[in-house]
Amino acid sequence: MQLRFVGCGDAFGSGGRFNTCFHVTGDTVNFLIDCGASSLPALKRCGTDLGAIDLVLITHFHGDHFAGLPFLILDAQFGRRERPLTIAGPAGLPARLTAVMEALFEHSSATRQRFDLDLIELVPDQPRNLGAIRVTPCTAVHGQSGGPFLSYRIEVEGRTIAYTGDTEWTDALVDVGRGADLFIAEAYTFGREVRNHLGYDRLAAELPRIGARHVVLTHLGETMLSHADEVPYTVASDGLVVDL
């Protein structure tokens, strides 16, 4: 099983990076974690077989994590996809998807897809089985708009992938990431903290409590990018592949 960082940038493309989108493939699974606005061209640049993706997990409704869905869905429609697709995310997902579809492509939300599209609203702290994947969503802390906000603990094929999503520090992240094979953590800033985001300094102080086997830093802003070569953890880059 492997995870590819299709896009690992922040909302503003710092460092020329694509918006957040991670692609996980294994013997029994093929899914995305988040699908930011630039995800479709990023996926195509990686040579991804889009028709094989079964599931998209969305952490929240900000454009750099969510706004790629209309492009992904319409590309599937025009590409005559027949394979079912499931999109799972926070409460309000169906209404939010309709709104962004209409904002970007008027009347597109009323078009019936050639494939079954299943939308699932996840409830914090309630594990959910999605095919071969068991996902436990937890509440993240990321402001007043664009939510609800989720972090994910994903158990699949004997491995555990944990992802903070966008969030300031919350002790819930200890349970999200505890002992994970891969802990993907936002590290937006270096040397200072900002509200609603996780900075490297606070994250580094808390990582011993989490005890993940492999930590990868993502969603880096400009200050973090300028110090990326100073940290003892893997720093994500677009196209980076992690074997699990």
Side-chain angles (χ1 to χ4, degrees):
M1 187 170 62
Q2 68 175 27
L3 182 146
R4 180 185 297 271
F5 289 83
V6 177
C8 62
D10 61 8
F12 311 109
S14 296
R17 297 169 177 222
F18 289 117
N19 294 148
T20 298
C21 182
F22 313 141
H23 183 207
V24 182
T25 53
D27 293 335
T28 60
V29 296
N30 193 317
F31 65 99
L32 301 180
I33 304 171
D34 277 340
C35 188
S38 59
S39 294
L40 184 62
L43 285 160
K44 291 188 174 184
R45 177 172 289 187
C46 291
T48 308
D49 179 2
L50 299 175
I53 294 169
D54 296 314
L55 168 70
V56 184
L57 290 172
I58 296 295
T59 58
H60 64 286
F61 302 124
H62 285 158
D64 57 320
H65 294 257
F66 176 66
L69 286 178
F71 301 99
L72 186 73
I73 291 168
L74 290 174
D75 183 77
Q77 175 77 354
F78 294 131
R80 299 185 177 274
R81 177 187 176 115
E82 296 182 355
R83 189 185 186 94
L85 177 64
T86 298
I87 302 173
L93 173 63
R96 294 284 192 145
L97 183 58
T98 295
V100 74
M101 294 284 291
E102 288 302 307
L104 297 179
F105 298 99
E106 191 176 7
H107 306 309
S108 63
S109 67
T111 301
R112 182 176 176 82
Q113 285 81 30
R114 302 174 186 273
F115 54 94
D116 289 335
L117 181 62
D118 189 18
L119 304 180
I120 296 175
E121 296 174 281
L122 300 173
V123 179
D125 303 318
Q126 292 189 14
R128 182 73 180 259
N129 292 325
L130 300 169
I133 299 163
R134 182 173 176 84
V135 58
T136 302
C138 296
T139 299
V141 182
H142 189 48
Q144 301 300 316
S145 64
F149 307 101
L150 298 177
S151 302
Y152 286 130
R153 184 177 178 88
I154 303 163
E155 298 166 87
V156 53
E157 295 186 359
R159 299 288 187 269
T160 299
I161 301 168
Y163 174 41
T164 64
D166 285 5
T167 183
E168 62 186 59
W169 177 259
T170 166
D171 282 346
L173 294 176
V174 177
D175 289 332
V176 170
R178 180 178 285 114
D181 295 283
L182 175 62
F183 183 48
I184 305 169
E186 179 187 25
Y188 186 53
T189 57
F190 185 95
R192 66 186 182 94
E193 298 296 316
V194 297
R195 289 184 62 191
N196 304 322
H197 284 282
L198 186 54
Y200 172 77
D201 301 82
R202 181 61 187 273
L203 173 66
E206 301 289 356
L207 281 173
R209 297 173 61 194
I210 294 171
R213 290 180 55 198
H214 189 184
V215 176
V216 179
L217 309 180
T218 190
H219 206 273
L220 279 61
E222 296 290 353
T223 60
M224 185 62 207
L225 285 169
S226 66
H227 292 276
D229 59 354
E230 302 172 22
V231 304
Y233 303 103
T234 301
V235 173
S237 57
D238 290 355
L240 173 70
V241 174
V242 175
D243 292 317
L244 293 159

